[in-house]
Amino acid sequence: MSEKKARAVRFDQYGGPEVLHIAEVPVPAPAAGEVLVEVRATSINPGEASIRSGTFMPGSADFPSGEGSDLAGVVTRLGDGVTEFAVGDEVLGFSLRRSSHATHVAVPTGQLIRKPPELSWPVAGSLYVVGVTAYAAVRAVDPQPGQTVAVSAAAGGVGSLVVQLLRARGAHVLGIASPANADWLTEHGATPISYGAGLADRLRSAAPDGIDSFIDLFGPEYLQLAVDLGIARDRIETVISFELAEKLGTQHKGSMDASTQEVLAEVADLVATGTIEIPIAATYPLDEVAAAFRELEKRHTRGKIVLLP
Ligand SMILES: NC(=O)c1ccc[n+]([C@@H]2O[C@H](COP(=O)([O-])OP(=O)(O)OC[C@H]3O[C@@H](n4cnc5c(N)ncnc54)[C@H](OP(=O)(O)O)[C@@H]3O)[C@@H](O)[C@H]2O)c1
């Protein structure tokens, strides 16, 4: 690739994964306070699929639109005034410009931390969205050691981290997932509970003394279930069903509630020390971004799907 050209995911209209393509674009110039990162790994998230299909924040895309916020890579150029990072530093962090699904991205230094050497590129490039969202969701219900917390979509990108953060705090975890994820949940200290008919009864039998908190990572039916189970509304959190959460008076924290270098560093340290892991479900070359989203949009990923530019 020419040094003056980058490659980036683009879409020119709302639609399915087929609207995604790779464009040759100018290498972004880092503005003052920014650095240019050569991206080694970037992850995909359901929110990006919803923006691309036009169902989330409809009308918010400027075409041609880029996408992506997670990133890990190597600093290759410094904008004016940058002293926190040097050329050659390995970093991880996030873009808020829908731009990280690319070979190069310009990023404000406040959205980056140094990549701990223990983290592989795929893990580092997966850390931001799921890491800070899981952190915000767990902090919202503030579980105490010995309390019981139910989690829907417990083995997905966010869920796999929520489960481990809860266990690290000494909570009992009821992980709601398909039987295919039961072994993973058991190995990570959670009690697997299958979703589908009879779920409320299975949850009650698994926690005869009651469920203290509920973290919903899948959809409104779980928020309603949490209320029906009699859990206090300030101990119920959803990262998705914001409208229903407002109506029911439950919590609805998300990634923007914890998008700081401090939280990123704390989660990265938990991974680096082996306290938690980020399962990598699959890696795809950037050119296969549409296939990567087709897989994600089946909604049965365990952990993260990663693009390697
Ligand atoms: N507010 C925010 O800032 C924020 C940030 C990140 C994500 N989110 C949202 O949070 C949600 C989860 O994100 P994610 O990255 O974890 O997604 P993901 O990795 O795609 O989650 C997939 C998981 O959903 C589970 N699942 C599928 N059908 C289910 C059902 N009927 N009931 C319960 N679980 C089911 C799957 O488990 P099985 O394979 O076992 O079926 C799989 O583990 C998405 O809606 C996303 O948009 C919000």
Side-chain angles (χ1 to χ4, degrees):
M1 186 190 329
S2 135
E3 278 185 10
K4 297 215 168 92
K5 289 288 179 192
R7 301 176 75 244
V9 174
R10 290 282 181 270
F11 59 103
D12 306 321
Q13 62 186 90
Y14 293 115
E18 69 282 355
V19 301
L20 297 171
H21 60 92
I22 307 295
E24 206 170 83
V25 297
V27 174
E34 297 182 354
V35 296
L36 179 67
V37 178
E38 195 176 276
V39 180
R40 295 291 162 83
T42 172
S43 171
I44 65 172
N45 290 283
E48 290 144 12
S50 305
I51 290 170
R52 187 207 64 230
S53 66
T55 53
F56 178 59
M57 297 199 280
S60 72
D62 286 327
F63 299 124
S65 176
E67 65 172 18
S69 50
D70 292 334
L71 66 99
V74 179
V75 173
T76 57
R77 215 185 305 164
L78 307 180
D80 286 347
V82 171
T83 53
E84 310 92 304
F85 295 101
V87 168
D89 282 352
E90 297 186 346
V91 294
L92 68 85
F94 58 100
S95 162
L96 294 176
R97 298 177 188 147
R98 301 182 182 175
S99 60
S100 72
H101 294 170
T103 56
H104 298 76
V105 62
V107 190
T109 55
Q111 293 167 209
L112 295 171
I113 62 167
R114 279 192 177 69
K115 179 181 91 63
E118 296 86 352
L119 270 57
S120 68
W121 286 117
V123 165
S126 295
L127 194 134
Y128 163 63
V129 170
V130 292
V132 303
T133 305
Y135 188 98
V138 170
R139 186 170 61 184
V141 301
D142 191 24
Q144 301 303 306
Q147 289 189 332
T148 299
V149 186
V151 182
S152 57
V158 182
S160 56
L161 292 196
V162 164
V163 164
Q164 296 175 81
L165 291 174
L166 289 170
R167 291 294 299 134
R169 281 181 171 228
H172 296 301
V173 181
L174 306 180
I176 302 165
S178 68
N181 283 315
D183 286 349
W184 187 90
L185 287 165
T186 305
E187 282 159 18
H188 290 79
T191 302
I193 309 280
S194 301
Y195 51 74
L199 172 59
D201 289 340
R202 285 193 290 283
L203 288 168
R204 284 193 197 95
S205 338
D209 296 332
I211 298 173
D212 298 287
S213 303
F214 199 113
I215 297 179
D216 166 46
L217 307 171
F218 191 76
E221 63 270 37
Y222 289 103
L223 205 48
Q224 190 60 57
L225 171 68
V227 170
D228 295 346
L229 286 167
I231 299 167
R233 294 186 188 210
D234 64 350
R235 308 301 307 281
I236 301 172
E237 149 76 3
T238 181
V239 303
I240 320 158
S241 309
F242 294 157
E243 263 180 47
L244 186 60
E246 289 279 353
K247 199 168 130 202
L248 296 174
T250 71
Q251 300 215 53
H252 48 82
K253 298 287 190 279
S255 60
M256 294 318 291
D257 294 293
S259 290
T260 66
Q261 286 172 310
E262 290 71 26
V263 173
L264 267 183
E266 195 176 327
V267 177
D269 189 55
L270 288 170
V271 179
T273 56
T275 309
I276 63 175
E277 63 153 350
I278 299 182
I280 302 299
T283 58
Y284 290 80
L286 192 66
D287 292 288
E288 291 179 24
V289 60
F293 272 101
R294 272 186 206 103
E295 187 57 35
L296 179 87
E297 289 171 50
K298 292 177 185 166
R299 297 192 85 178
H300 291 293
T301 306
R302 180 191 302 156
K304 295 298 298 169
I305 295 177
V306 179
L307 299 175
L308 301 175

